[in-house]
């Protein structure tokens, strides 16, 4: 089997808040919008991003919904310049996200920083 990631689904505590953060705040176009599920079409070459209410997603997977803290995963957005890294971080901040690590130089010569969405999912924004 050669798996292909067609969608990334995040369990969120407040679907309307998360939809507003990704849709209005970050400008992701909504593809599907249901009472417990929203998906965004991120464009050619990208997986779809989906939001599901936390409890409903846990139930769908058949696991308990309790738990918090670092989830052992980060989402990555690679951009073309140092300036774009800082622009994306600022946009996430304005949209209600939290800057976890401000833009800074990296050991590989690029520039990177981290923000978290309102549910604590970490996004790394880096220039190549």
């Amino acid at each position: 089997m050669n798996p292909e990631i067609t969608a990334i689904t995040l369990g969120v505590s407040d679907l309307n808040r998360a939809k507003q953060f990704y849709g209005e705040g970050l400008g992701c176009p909504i593809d599907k919008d249901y009472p417990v599920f929203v998906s965004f079409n991120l464009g050619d070459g990208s997986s779809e991003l989906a939001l599901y209410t936390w409890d409903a997603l846990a139930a769908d997977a058949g696991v308990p919904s309790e738990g918090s803290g670092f989830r052992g995963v980060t989402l990555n957005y690679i951009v073309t310049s140092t300036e774009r890294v800082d622009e994306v971080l600022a946009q996430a901040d304005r949209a209600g996200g939290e800057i976890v690590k401000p833009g800074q130089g990296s050991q590989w010569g690029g520039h990177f920083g981290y923000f978290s969405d309102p549910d604590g999912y970490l996004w790394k924004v880096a220039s190549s």
Side-chain angles (χ1 to χ4, degrees):
M1 182 171 106
N2 190 12
E4 182 178 300
I5 297 174
T6 56
I8 297 166
T9 304
L10 304 177
V12 299
S13 60
D14 183 330
L15 187 63
N16 288 326
R17 179 186 68 185
K19 180 171 76 170
Q20 183 177 7
F21 176 80
Y22 284 103
E24 295 172 24
L26 298 186
C28 301
I30 294 175
D31 184 42
K32 296 176 184 78
D33 192 351
Y34 300 105
V36 297
F37 174 82
V38 175
S39 67
F40 302 92
N41 181 340
L42 301 182
D44 293 339
S46 183
S47 299
E48 181 176 273
L49 177 65
L51 307 173
Y52 215 106
T53 59
W54 184 276
D55 291 339
L57 185 57
D60 187 60
V63 298
S65 63
E66 299 82 23
S68 64
F70 180 62
R71 292 168 171 90
V73 65
T74 63
L75 304 166
N76 296 273
Y77 182 28
I78 307 302
V79 298
T80 57
S81 69
T82 296
E83 294 78 18
R84 185 68 182 133
V85 169
D86 294 333
E87 290 169 1
V88 171
L89 291 172
Q91 183 178 3
D93 185 51
R94 286 190 306 274
E98 178 183 338
I99 303 302
V100 176
K101 183 178 275 190
Q104 58 192 260
S106 68
Q107 63 187 15
W108 68 87
H111 190 75
F112 78 105
Y114 278 87
F115 72 86
S116 67
D117 75 0
D119 284 280
Y121 289 103
L122 293 170
W123 283 78
K124 181 179 187 176
V125 184
S127 64
S128 50

